[in-house]
Each structure stands twice: as C-alpha cells, then as structure tokens.
C-alpha cells in the first residue's frame, strides 16, 4: 500500500482578494477532513494550504493509496424476531439478509448480545478501505461546496459553478495523477505560473515538487503567509532606506498579498504641493484606490513618497514606477479639488441640505436628528459641568460634512473632514475636535473621545440611535445588527467606564427619549429592553476584560447605573472573595435571600426589646456597630474597605444561624428576626449581591 504526499490545486481566474485567505484555508481544511474521515492518512502530520490570486491548493504528507480494511459490526434484529422457537432463521431474518446481500449460512457466525432489555443478533464483517482514486474527486467537490462563497458564477457551456472560472484541476499522489472530475475538469499534472513571467504550462513531476516548481519555473510564491512575509520584509526595508515609516498597514498588506503572485516593492512619489490637502484624504486615496503604502516622517506626517507592490520584477522598473505615479496624480487632484470646493461653504450653511436626507423613515431626517443631538449633547455636558454651548454647537455641526464632496467620495472620512472644515470656519478647536471624535470608538480597541464636550457629543450620537431604534422596535436579532446598535452600546459603556464619567445610565436614556417627538417611540417597554441590552453588552465587555463570571454576576445583579463605579466594585468583590470569611458569608447571604423571598409585605425596623437569644442580640449589636462605618466607606466609594468591614460579621452571622430559629412560631418574634435579616441583607448587599459568590 503506497503512502505519498498528495497535492490538489484549482487554477482559476483572479479570486476576490479580501476573501482569498479564507477560501484557501477552508478548501484545504475540508479536503483534509475528508481524507481523515476515510482513514486515508498514514500519519496525521497536518497539511499546508496555499492561496494566490489565481489558485487555491493543499498538500498533505503521508496519504495512503487505499485505507486499510476494517471490521464493521451492525445490529441485524432482535433475537425473538430473527429466530423461531427451534433457533432457525425466520422469514423476516432471511428477507433482511437477502436485502443486505448476506448469505443465510452466515447466521451461524452472528453474535448474540444484550440490546437494552432484549437480546439482538449482530453481524461482523470485514470491509475494504476507501481507495484514494475512488473518493478524492468527491472529497474535493464537497470542499468546493463548503466554501464561503456568497455568489456563484457560471462560465463556458458547462454546468460548473464557482466564485470565478476554473481552468485546471491538479490532483497528484506522489508522482501519479489521481483520476477524477471536478467542476467539469479532469485532473491532470499541468498547472500554470505567473501570467507574464512564467515559462508557460508547467508539468509537475510530483506533489512534493509543487511549491519549488511554481517558484522556479512559474515565478509564483503560492504560500499566502510566505508571500505576505516577503512583502512585509521588502516594505519595511525600503521604508527604512527612505528614512520613513509605514504607519498602519496590516489590512492593506493582507489585501495586497492576495493581489500579487511574485511581489516586488518600488518607490513612487508625487508633487509636494498635494501635501496642502489633509493627509487623511491622500492616505485614503492611495490605500483604498491604488493599494499603495504611504510613507511618513518620524512625527507621523505624510511624505510625498509611497511604496508600490508590483506583481512584476524588472531589471529596469522605470516604466512601472512612472506608470503608477501617472495614475495616482488624478486621484490626488480630485482630492485637492473636493477639499478646495468644500471650504467655500461653511458647515452651518450646509445644514439645510440635511433636511431631505432620510435618517430612518420612522425617525425622520438627518436634520431632525441633528436638532435632537444638539439638545441632548448640551444636556449631557451640563450634567458633566462642561461647556454646554460648545457641546451643542459641535453636535449641531457634527453631521454637516455628510453633504460635502469629500465625504461623498470617501465616506470613511466623515468626522475627520468635519474637523478640518470646522477649523476653516473658525469654530474653535474644542468644537472641531468633538466633531471628529463623536464617532469614536468605532471598533474594539479604538480611542475614546477626549474631554467633556467631545464625550457629550459622542454619547448623544450613540444614545439617540439606541433609544430611537429600540423605541420603534428595531432591535438587533441574532447576528443581524444593521444599525450598529451593539457597537453603539459598547461605545457608550466604554466612554462611561474608561473616561470615566459620573453619569447615570438610566437618566441618560431618559434624556435621549425626551428629545423625540411625542408619540414617535411607540414600542412598549423599550427603556427596560434597552437597559437589559446594555447590561448584556456590559457583561460581555467585562468578561472579555478578564473578570470572573461570578464576580461580574454579583456586581451587575444590583443593576448599577453609574458605570464609572463598576470597576471599583469588581475589584472590591474580587478582594472580598479571596478572604477566608467570604464563602461562609456568601452562603449565609444566599440563605437570607431565600428566606426573605417568602416574606409578604413590609417589615418594620428590628425592635431590640423583642430580641431573646444571645446570638440574635449579638448580631443586632454588630450590625448597629458596623453600619455607620460601611455607609461612610460607601459614600466615599471605598468599596473594598466596606466589604472588608462586612467580613467581620462572619462569626456573629454563623452563630445566629446555629443558635436561632428564624421562623419561630410566635409571630412577633418571627417578624422581628426577619426584620433583622432584612437589615443585615441591606447592609451586606450594597456593593454587590454577595449570594452570587456562594458555591452551594
């Protein structure tokens, strides 16, 4: 039985660059799974996946030509149905054996085994293993069907469908072609290399020769990771030669890796006069449209040079460089034109153009939204003792850049261009900065807005969206969140927690809801739904930050509305949980909570005259003793100290439950003991619900 390396390659037209790595990995993983499921791996040494602009492939070492034979045992039927009283096969058994192609003489070899409450006959046979030649095409076809392709296309006169036309199928086991047909193509050993630098069709001698042959004869680096690393090495080295840096480039590097087969980096430049345009515009133009890598000086300022990742390696690259420089100039000229035209009109003068722009058909226009944001931002700034006038002004102008030519061409620049245009209009840096940063944080790990004015506008923007869409019943469902409400909620929480800001979340939601026209927000109970949504996001945020689940549950069980205090409460509960008294107090607290759940009506304050047992008197006096100290620590937000003081109650609490019958038969005594427990629970659960820490 021959073991050898296996190669499968699909040669295609240019594949979608942003999807290429995922296509390559998924294609290879599914083929590997198929081989493993059929026991065709002599050794499980993993696999290598390849993805280049015109190919996806996999190589797997130690693949068998045929899987070994195996014993298969199957249940035939219950003994009482299969055999008559004399132990002879019944007609039912004979009919089943005939259907399965098993001779009647095999009955003697059947094994009788318990099967539930009855006994059944089992048949064991030796089954030939799968032959690679027989199953490989099916495995590849299944892998093709499993690829994450949203839209398929047809080509030629056949029925094959794929994300792009497929021209060749290579399936080699060692030096042998594995026969098979996939996507209307018969397997072969011939592939093709680089469109222009290759020597033509390339016959692969063996599966192991795939990568070195493609590189030497086809001028293709098929391994995505190696090609990416090669490009990055060239970029970093060339930037260093230019005395420059690359800035953020990871996303563009992935995309460019998917566009070239044999990368070479060259330096281009443009006229320095274009640097008068905001550098964000030029950077976006070069990166998004041309896939160039801009260069920056040590201070992060854009230079008039950029790096080109070409798919050609030439001794004289002057034509490549000149051509790319010629192509980028019109783009930069467009950016300069948009910038110059936009500055002729103030942001304030553009506001009427927001009136016909629909924000949402139930929530009105962008201009109506701006009016809500203006009022809400000023209200939030007032709560922060900040400049309400500046916050209102920034919110009023925050969306005006949406109707500028630059943002119309490059939507990614919204907010950024608003800042430039606000400065041009002499609005002041505080207002301008708030206009730019009110979209922040845009994604996980993004920077937060800085300063009370910017935070007020950012919170207003996100809260208006959350309240508005929840108020009309447009909630996120499953993985669908078309209005970005999860991102908005996380943004609100991060701003409140990380800045931090002493604001009440429920009050902020009420402020936002008050800005909508009466009768517009018709979804019943949307405020409670929104709070539930926010706390669920908060739970996930804290879990991702590494906090223990029981600590999170204990703190959030009290539904704290001051998000800025949550970290300190988490730290306090974590410290408390490490104390030797913690588990006993948590268990006692859980017992108290369960007892008080059964109490109907209000309980009075405990009456010292009704205390009978020494243990309940001791607990009462300990509660009276520590209560002022706990209240003082809570008022000063010293939550760790408050919980440490409460830890000192352990002995009194343990003795109380050991010696005192809470549910005494005498009504006044029982009522008084319940009142004492309620007072104790109120004292213990100000920072968090400590019963959530109990393991019992």
């Amino acid at each position: 039985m021959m073991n050898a390396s296996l190669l499968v390659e699909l040669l295609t037209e240019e594949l979608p660059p942003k999807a290429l790595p995922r296509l390559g990995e998924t294609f290879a993983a599914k083929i590997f799974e198929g081989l493993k499921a059929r026991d065709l791996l002599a050794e499980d040494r993993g696999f290598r996946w390849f993805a280049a602009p015109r190919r996806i492939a996999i190589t797997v070492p130690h693949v068998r030509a045929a899987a070994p034979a195996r014993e298969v045992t199957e249940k035939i039927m219950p003994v009482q149905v299969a055999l008559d009283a004399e132990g002879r096969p019944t007609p039912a058994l004979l009919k089943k054996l005939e259907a399965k192609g098993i001779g009647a003489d095999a009955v003697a070899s059947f094994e009788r085994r318990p099967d539930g409450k009855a006994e059944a006959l089992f048949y064991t046979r030796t089954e030939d293993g799968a032959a690679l030649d027989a199953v490989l095409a099916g495995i590849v076809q299944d892998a093709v069907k499993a690829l994450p392709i949203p839209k398929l296309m047809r080509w030629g006169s056949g029925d094959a469908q794929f994300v792009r036309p497929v021209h060749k199928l290579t399936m080699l086991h060692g030096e042998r072609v594995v026969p098979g047909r996939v996507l209307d193509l018969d397997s072969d050993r011939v592939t093709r290399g680089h469109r222009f630098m290759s020597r033509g069709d390339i016959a692969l001698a063996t599966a192991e020769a795939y990568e070195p042959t493609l590189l030497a004869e086809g001028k293709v680096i098929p391994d995505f990771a190696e090609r990416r690393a090669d490009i990055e090495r060239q970029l970093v080295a060339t930037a260093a030669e230019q005395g420059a840096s690359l800035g953020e480039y990871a996303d563009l590097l992935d995309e460019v890796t998917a566009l070239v087969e044999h990368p070479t980096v060259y330096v281009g430049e443009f006229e320095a006069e274009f640097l008068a345009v905001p550098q964000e515009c030029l950077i976006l133009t070069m990166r998004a449209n041309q896939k160039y890598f801009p260069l920056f000086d040590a201070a992060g300022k854009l230079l008039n040079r950029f790096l080109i990742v070409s798919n050609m390696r030439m001794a004289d690259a002057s034509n490549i460089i000149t051509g790319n420089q010629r192509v980028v100039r019109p783009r930069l000229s467009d950016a300069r034109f948009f910038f110059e035209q936009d500055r002729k009109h103030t942001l304030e003068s553009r506001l009427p153009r927001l009136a016909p722009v629909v924000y949402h058909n139930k929530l009105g226009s962008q201009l109506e939204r701006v009016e809500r944001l203006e009022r809400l931002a000023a209200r939030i700034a007032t709560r922060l003792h900040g400049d309400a006038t500046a916050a209102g002004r920034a919110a009023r102008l925050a969306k005006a850049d949406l109707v500028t030519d630059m943002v119309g061409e490059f939507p990614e620049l919204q907010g950024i261009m608003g800042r430039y245009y606000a400065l041009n209009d002499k609005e002041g840096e505080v207002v301008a900065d708030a206009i730019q940063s009110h979209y922040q944080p845009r994604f996980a790990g993004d920077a937060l807005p800085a300063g009370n004015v910017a935070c007020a506008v950012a919170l207003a923007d996100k809260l208006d969206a959350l309240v508005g869409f929840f108020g009309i019943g447009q909630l996120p469902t499953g993985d669908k969140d078309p209005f970005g409400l999860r991102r908005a909620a996380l943004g609100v929480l991060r701003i409140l927690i990380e800045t931090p800001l002493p604001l009440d979340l429920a009050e902020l939601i009420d402020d936002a809801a008050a800005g909508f026209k009466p009768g517009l927000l018709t979804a019943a109970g949307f405020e409670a739904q929104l709070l539930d949504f926010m706390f669920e996001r908060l739970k996930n945020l804290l879990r991702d930050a590494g906090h223990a689940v029981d600590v999170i549950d204990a703190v959030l069980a009290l539904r704290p509305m001051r998000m800025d205090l949550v970290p300190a409460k988490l730290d306090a509960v974590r410290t408390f949980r490490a104390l030797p008294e913690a588990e006993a107090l948590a268990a006692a607290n859980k017992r108290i909570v369960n007892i008080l759940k059964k109490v109907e009506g209000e309980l009075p304050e405990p009456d010292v005259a009704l205390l009978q047992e020494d243990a309940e008197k001791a607990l009462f006096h300990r509660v009276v003793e520590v209560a002022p100290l706990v209240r003082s620590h809570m008022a000063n937000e010293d939550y760790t100290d408050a919980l440490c003081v409460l830890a000192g109650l352990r002995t009194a609490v343990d003795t109380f439950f050991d010696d005192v019958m809470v549910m005494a038969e005498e009504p006044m005594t029982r009522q008084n003991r319940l009142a004492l427990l309620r007072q104790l629970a109120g004292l213990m659960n100000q920072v968090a619900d400590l019963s959530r820490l109990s393991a019992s």
Side-chain angles (χ1 to χ4, degrees):
M1 186 180 296
M2 184 184 73
N3 299 333
S5 293
L6 177 72
L7 163 69
V8 178
E9 182 201 60
L10 290 180
L11 185 73
T12 70
E13 292 293 324
E14 275 73 8
L15 293 162
K18 291 185 179 179
L20 181 62
R22 191 176 173 200
L23 289 174
E25 284 188 275
T26 305
F27 178 71
K30 293 298 179 183
I31 289 176
F32 185 76
E33 288 172 12
L35 295 170
K36 191 171 185 177
R38 291 163 178 81
D39 199 16
L40 286 166
L41 301 178
E43 296 180 41
D44 187 349
R45 298 277 189 89
F47 61 90
R48 289 189 64 195
W49 64 273
F50 302 90
R54 297 188 301 135
R55 72 197 73 235
I56 51 177
I58 177 178
T59 58
V60 189
H62 305 291
V63 175
R64 297 177 171 123
R70 59 187 183 127
E71 284 194 342
V72 178
T73 299
E74 65 174 312
K75 175 184 168 183
I76 301 299
M77 62 173 54
V79 170
Q80 62 182 17
V81 179
L83 303 175
D84 62 19
E86 285 75 32
R88 293 188 299 265
T90 62
L93 175 60
L94 294 173
K95 185 175 181 180
K96 186 160 189 177
L97 294 180
E98 183 182 359
K100 288 182 168 291
I102 302 172
D105 55 345
V107 174
S109 67
F110 287 2
E111 184 182 359
R112 295 171 69 146
R113 291 189 206 163
D115 183 48
K117 294 182 179 180
E119 197 175 30
L121 292 180
F122 290 82
Y123 172 54
T124 300
R125 68 182 185 279
T126 300
E127 199 173 74
D128 290 338
L132 182 65
D133 288 12
V135 301
L136 183 57
I139 292 173
V140 175
Q141 186 64 52
D142 290 343
V144 168
K145 290 178 181 177
L147 292 179
I149 301 171
K151 190 173 182 180
L152 297 168
M153 64 179 293
R154 294 179 184 270
W155 63 93
S157 57
D159 294 325
Q161 296 183 74
F162 195 58
V163 65
R164 293 290 185 270
V166 182
H167 296 305
K168 286 187 177 293
L169 167 68
T170 299
M171 298 196 303
L172 287 179
H173 185 226
E175 61 184 19
R176 184 178 63 85
V177 174
V178 179
R181 188 171 178 82
V182 180
L183 296 172
D184 293 340
L185 293 169
D186 291 319
S187 62
D188 198 354
R189 67 171 67 249
V190 176
T191 187
R192 292 175 187 155
H194 193 285
R195 281 195 184 276
F196 308 109
M197 297 169 63
S198 175
R199 65 172 180 81
D201 285 352
I202 301 169
L204 298 169
T206 64
E208 294 94 333
Y210 176 66
E211 188 176 16
T213 303
L214 263 185
L215 183 59
E217 299 184 26
K219 305 304 179 187
V220 172
I221 302 174
D223 186 293
F224 187 91
E226 288 188 9
R227 201 165 62 253
R228 187 185 190 277
D230 181 50
I231 295 171
E232 187 168 26
R233 280 193 296 270
Q234 292 187 57
L235 288 171
V236 171
T238 308
E241 291 170 3
Q242 296 292 314
S245 64
L246 290 161
E248 295 293 329
Y249 64 87
D251 288 347
L252 181 57
L253 177 58
D254 287 338
E255 188 174 359
V256 168
T257 302
L259 289 169
V260 297
E261 295 177 313
H262 196 89
T264 307
V265 172
Y266 302 111
V267 181
E269 63 179 322
F270 56 87
E271 289 78 1
E273 64 193 54
F274 285 115
L275 294 176
V277 179
Q279 70 176 40
E280 292 90 344
C281 308
L282 306 181
I283 293 167
L284 186 60
T285 294
M286 287 188 280
R287 285 178 174 165
N289 292 330
Q290 306 305 130
K291 314 305 177 191
Y292 299 152
F293 291 81
L295 292 174
F296 304 87
D297 65 16
K301 185 178 179 182
L302 182 68
L303 302 172
N304 65 321
R305 282 166 282 158
F306 56 92
L307 301 185
I308 307 153
V309 179
S310 173
N311 199 28
M312 299 284 289
R313 179 164 294 176
M314 309 285 288
D316 180 5
S318 57
N319 287 339
I320 293 175
I321 296 169
T322 302
N324 280 279
Q325 291 177 163
R326 187 168 58 247
V327 167
V328 78
R329 284 193 192 98
R331 292 286 189 178
L332 301 181
S333 296
D334 287 345
R336 180 170 59 184
F337 175 77
F338 293 145
F339 182 58
E340 291 174 350
Q341 291 298 112
D342 285 341
R343 288 191 298 170
K344 293 178 181 179
H345 305 279
T346 64
L347 291 175
E348 176 73 33
S349 70
R350 293 179 182 276
L351 290 177
R353 292 178 57 188
L354 292 174
V357 179
V358 176
Y359 172 59
H360 185 274
N361 60 354
K362 291 185 179 180
L363 297 175
S365 68
Q366 282 285 6
L367 183 57
E368 290 173 304
R369 182 165 193 250
V370 161
E371 291 167 352
R372 293 196 302 269
L373 296 182
E374 185 176 0
R375 293 189 295 270
L376 180 56
R379 175 65 176 154
I380 294 172
T382 299
R383 289 188 182 278
L384 292 171
H385 306 291
D387 188 337
T389 302
R393 182 63 178 168
R396 178 175 176 80
L397 301 177
K399 305 299 180 183
D401 67 350
L402 296 177
V403 290
T404 62
D405 290 339
M406 185 71 83
V407 174
E409 180 72 14
F410 301 112
E412 302 91 335
L413 294 176
Q414 55 189 284
I416 294 171
M417 296 314 302
R419 178 182 183 277
Y420 280 106
Y421 297 145
L423 291 174
N424 185 70
D425 297 345
K426 305 296 189 290
E427 291 289 348
E429 287 197 13
V430 171
V431 169
D433 290 344
I435 290 173
Q436 174 170 339
S437 61
H438 85 278
Y439 289 107
Q440 293 172 328
R442 294 179 174 88
F443 49 84
D446 191 19
L448 299 179
N452 286 343
V453 170
C455 286
V457 182
L459 287 171
D461 182 56
K462 294 162 180 60
L463 288 164
D464 178 85
L466 288 162
V467 168
F469 286 111
F470 268 76
I472 60 172
Q474 293 288 330
L475 282 63
T477 57
D479 59 351
K480 294 182 179 179
D481 186 12
F483 306 112
L485 300 184
R486 291 188 180 93
R487 183 174 66 248
L490 287 171
V492 169
L493 294 169
R494 284 193 59 205
I495 291 170
L496 294 177
I497 292 171
E498 296 176 33
T499 304
L501 298 177
L503 298 173
D504 185 290
L505 180 60
E507 290 178 357
L508 290 174
I509 290 173
D510 289 342
D511 288 344
F516 288 86
K517 294 177 181 177
L520 185 61
L521 306 179
T522 57
F526 76 87
E527 295 98 334
Q529 283 184 309
L530 178 53
L531 277 173
D532 288 343
F533 178 77
M534 296 290 288
F535 274 98
E536 191 60 34
R537 304 282 78 71
L538 177 58
K539 187 182 297 184
N540 294 336
L541 184 66
L542 297 175
R543 190 181 297 126
D544 291 343
H547 294 285
V549 172
D550 59 344
V551 173
I552 296 170
D553 288 344
V555 172
L556 299 192
L558 301 187
R559 301 293 285 249
M561 292 300 161
R562 283 277 303 277
M563 298 295 121
D564 58 311
L565 302 181
V566 167
K569 291 182 177 182
L570 291 167
D571 290 342
V573 173
R574 185 170 59 250
T575 300
F576 171 79
R577 192 179 61 170
L579 297 176
E581 302 89 349
E583 177 55 37
L585 279 174
N589 196 59
K590 188 173 184 179
R591 185 174 178 182
I592 293 169
V593 169
N594 290 334
I595 291 172
L596 294 177
K597 280 180 182 177
K598 301 172 184 177
V599 177
E600 296 180 1
E602 293 294 320
L603 291 169
E605 291 297 312
D607 185 347
V608 67
L610 295 175
L611 300 174
Q612 299 175 15
E613 304 287 344
D614 289 343
E616 62 182 319
K617 292 176 183 177
L619 179 59
F620 174 81
H621 289 301
R622 286 290 289 136
V623 168
V624 170
E625 180 184 348
V626 303
L629 189 55
V630 172
R631 283 195 292 269
S632 174
H633 287 317
M634 291 296 298
N636 293 325
E637 299 173 8
D638 296 329
Y639 304 122
T640 301
D641 290 342
L643 289 179
C644 288
V645 169
L646 289 169
L649 294 174
R650 177 190 173 175
T651 300
V653 172
D654 287 348
T655 305
F656 175 86
F657 279 114
D658 288 340
D659 298 351
V660 177
M661 173 66 71
V662 176
M663 305 305 286
E665 290 188 15
E666 203 285 310
M668 293 184 67
T669 301
R670 181 174 64 247
Q671 191 85 340
N672 200 56
R673 289 172 179 173
L674 290 171
L676 176 58
L677 291 183
R678 190 204 62 177
Q679 187 179 56
L680 176 62
L683 187 65
M684 291 177 65
N685 295 321
Q686 295 181 71
V687 177
D689 180 356
L690 300 183
S691 68
R692 302 295 182 102
L693 301 177
S694 175
S696 58

